[in-house]
Structure formats: structure tokens, C-alpha cells
Amino acid sequence: MLRTPRRTHRRDTPPPRTGGSEAETLRGFLDYLRDSIAAKVDGAPEPQVRTAAVPSGTHLLGLLDHLTHVERAVFLGEEVRDWPATFRTAPEDDVTTVVARYRETVDRANRVLDTCTDLGAPLPRSRPGRPAPSVRWALTHMIEETGRHAGHADILRELIDGATGR
């Protein structure tokens, strides 16, 4: 049974003011969502951060671990053989470790994106047997993926300790 958590409210961070180009807009919104979900996980208490609050088994730490794998697959070309497993964290992984790993992966992905000048060009990554998506597609997909899971994280964090806001 879920207890009624004490409500805390973080001040909402407004959407980013980006430059005028398509690339600046896409990257600005992706970074905004990345920061939002990392902040949602950062500081969440154990063991609730890894405790499923919904029948699917989804938990806050698993969402961020999953997004780390998605970033690596999309921008860095790493192969994922078992997507459902990306939602499960190792017992030794704590909030600090998972958040740091996510942020390091985002930094690596951004370094790749910094080399991309044409949104219509394929991502500069190697993945044998699979063509790379365009930079535009990858950015749009990651905005959708990160935004969807950030919404899940909002709900899960509120259930854990009542924290709300972006």
C-alpha cells in the first residue's frame, strides 16, 4: 500500500530559449528533457527509487538506466540485445551512479552531435549491418523517448516522496 507522501514542489523550469535554427531548437529541447529527468531521479530515496509502483515493474532508477542505453544505441551505435533488461538496474547501482552514468553518456552523445552540421545526414557511428538514422530523426526520436519517460518519472517521483515540478 502506498503511503500519502508529504508534498514538496520544485519550481518548474520553463522550456528553453533556443537559437533560431532547427538544430539549436532540437538540441535545446532534448537537453532540457535530459536535465529534467536526471533531476527527477537525483536525490530520490532508496529503496523506493528502485521499487516498482506500477504493475509493469517500472521504477524511477530503471527509467534513467533505460534512457542511458537508448542514448548509447542511437548516438553512439552501441548494440542492445535485450531492451527489457535495460529497465533493470544492478543491485549495486545507486542513484548517484546511475545519474552520473546517464550524464556521462549524454556528454558523449553531445560530442558526437557537435560534429554534425547537416541534420539530413546519417549519424557518424558504426553499427555493422544497420544503416545509421539521420541526425534529425535521431534528435526527434530522443526528444519523444526522453519526454515520454520524463512524464513517467514525474508520476513515479510524486508517488515516492511527493516531489513535483521540473
Side-chain angles (χ1 to χ4, degrees):
M1 177 181 222
L2 291 173
R3 66 175 178 82
T4 304
R6 186 175 127 293
R7 303 280 178 212
T8 60
H9 183 76
R10 268 183 40 188
R11 189 165 102 41
D12 272 352
T13 303
R17 297 284 184 219
T18 63
S21 76
E22 182 182 6
E24 290 169 321
T25 301
L26 291 170
R27 290 201 52 193
F29 272 86
L30 178 56
D31 282 338
Y32 168 72
L33 290 168
R34 287 164 160 169
D35 289 343
S36 184
I37 193 163
K40 210 38 102 161
V41 176
D42 201 16
E46 289 279 359
Q48 297 93 330
V49 72
R50 66 179 70 247
T51 303
V54 293
S56 68
T58 303
H59 56 83
L60 199 52
L61 206 57
L63 284 175
L64 197 59
D65 200 45
H66 169 72
L67 282 173
T68 301
H69 288 281
V70 178
E71 290 268 354
R72 288 176 178 170
V74 171
F75 294 121
L76 306 175
E78 293 183 14
E79 185 177 356
V80 175
R81 293 184 188 272
D82 184 1
W83 281 105
T86 65
F87 285 95
R88 296 187 294 272
T89 53
E92 65 274 7
D93 284 345
D94 61 10
V95 170
T96 302
T97 302
V98 173
V99 171
R101 186 167 48 228
Y102 177 71
R103 290 189 187 280
E104 189 274 330
T105 299
V106 165
D107 287 344
R108 287 177 56 208
N110 278 341
R111 284 194 298 276
V112 169
L113 288 169
D114 289 343
T115 69
C116 301
T117 58
D118 178 3
L119 291 176
L123 277 170
R125 64 174 173 87
S126 61
R127 195 155 154 195
R130 299 204 52 199
S134 72
V135 176
R136 179 181 290 106
W137 183 92
L139 286 168
T140 303
H141 170 64
M142 286 308 302
I143 290 168
E144 176 273 329
E145 181 82 4
T146 308
R148 185 164 54 105
H149 291 312
H152 298 146
D154 285 341
I155 294 165
L156 293 173
R157 182 65 190 258
E158 187 173 359
L159 288 170
I160 289 171
D161 63 6
T164 62
R166 286 184 283 226

Short mmCIF file of all heavy atoms in Angstrom, two decimals, residues 3 11 15 38 61 68 96 99 123 135 164:
data_model
loop_
_atom_site.label_atom_id
_atom_site.label_comp_id
_atom_site.label_asym_id
_atom_site.label_seq_id
_atom_site.Cartn_x
_atom_site.Cartn_y
_atom_site.Cartn_z
N ARG A 3 1.86 4.96 0.80
CA ARG A 3 1.53 5.96 1.80
C ARG A 3 1.34 7.29 1.09
O ARG A 3 1.82 7.50 -0.03
CB ARG A 3 2.62 6.05 2.85
CG ARG A 3 3.93 6.56 2.30
CD ARG A 3 4.95 6.73 3.42
NE ARG A 3 6.21 7.18 2.90
CZ ARG A 3 6.51 8.45 2.60
NH1 ARG A 3 5.64 9.39 2.78
NH2 ARG A 3 7.69 8.75 2.12
N ARG A 11 10.33 24.35 -8.15
CA ARG A 11 9.91 25.36 -9.11
C ARG A 11 10.07 24.80 -10.52
O ARG A 11 11.08 24.19 -10.84
CB ARG A 11 10.78 26.59 -8.92
CG ARG A 11 10.31 27.79 -9.71
CD ARG A 11 10.97 29.05 -9.22
NE ARG A 11 12.06 29.61 -9.96
CZ ARG A 11 12.19 29.73 -11.27
NH1 ARG A 11 11.30 29.24 -12.06
NH2 ARG A 11 13.21 30.32 -11.82
N PRO A 15 10.41 25.93 -20.59
CA PRO A 15 11.07 25.41 -21.79
C PRO A 15 12.25 26.31 -22.18
O PRO A 15 12.25 27.51 -21.88
CB PRO A 15 9.98 25.43 -22.85
CG PRO A 15 8.71 25.40 -22.09
CD PRO A 15 8.99 26.15 -20.81
N ALA A 38 17.00 13.66 -15.31
CA ALA A 38 18.11 13.41 -14.38
C ALA A 38 17.82 14.06 -13.03
O ALA A 38 18.06 13.46 -11.98
CB ALA A 38 19.42 13.93 -14.97
N LEU A 61 14.68 4.48 -11.06
CA LEU A 61 16.08 4.23 -11.41
C LEU A 61 16.18 3.48 -12.75
O LEU A 61 17.05 3.77 -13.56
CB LEU A 61 16.75 3.43 -10.29
CG LEU A 61 18.25 3.58 -10.13
CD1 LEU A 61 18.65 5.04 -9.93
CD2 LEU A 61 18.73 2.74 -8.98
N THR A 68 19.81 5.72 -20.65
CA THR A 68 21.25 5.66 -20.89
C THR A 68 21.54 4.71 -22.05
O THR A 68 22.32 5.03 -22.96
CB THR A 68 21.99 5.20 -19.61
OG1 THR A 68 21.70 6.12 -18.56
CG2 THR A 68 23.49 5.12 -19.84
N THR A 96 23.32 7.96 -7.32
CA THR A 96 24.48 8.74 -7.75
C THR A 96 25.16 8.10 -8.96
O THR A 96 25.50 8.78 -9.93
CB THR A 96 25.48 8.90 -6.59
OG1 THR A 96 24.80 9.53 -5.50
CG2 THR A 96 26.68 9.73 -6.99
N VAL A 99 22.76 8.29 -12.19
CA VAL A 99 22.68 9.66 -12.70
C VAL A 99 24.01 10.05 -13.36
O VAL A 99 24.02 10.62 -14.45
CB VAL A 99 22.28 10.66 -11.60
CG1 VAL A 99 22.41 12.10 -12.09
CG2 VAL A 99 20.83 10.40 -11.14
N LEU A 123 23.91 9.77 -38.87
CA LEU A 123 24.79 9.92 -37.70
C LEU A 123 26.13 9.27 -37.99
O LEU A 123 26.18 8.21 -38.61
CB LEU A 123 24.17 9.24 -36.48
CG LEU A 123 23.14 10.04 -35.71
CD1 LEU A 123 22.45 9.16 -34.68
CD2 LEU A 123 23.77 11.24 -35.03
N VAL A 135 20.52 12.54 -38.49
CA VAL A 135 20.66 13.30 -37.25
C VAL A 135 19.29 13.84 -36.83
O VAL A 135 18.92 13.79 -35.66
CB VAL A 135 21.69 14.44 -37.42
CG1 VAL A 135 21.78 15.29 -36.17
CG2 VAL A 135 23.05 13.87 -37.80
N THR A 164 7.20 17.29 -6.81
CA THR A 164 6.63 17.67 -8.11
C THR A 164 7.45 18.79 -8.71
O THR A 164 8.29 19.40 -8.04
CB THR A 164 5.15 18.10 -7.97
OG1 THR A 164 5.10 19.27 -7.13
CG2 THR A 164 4.29 17.01 -7.41
#
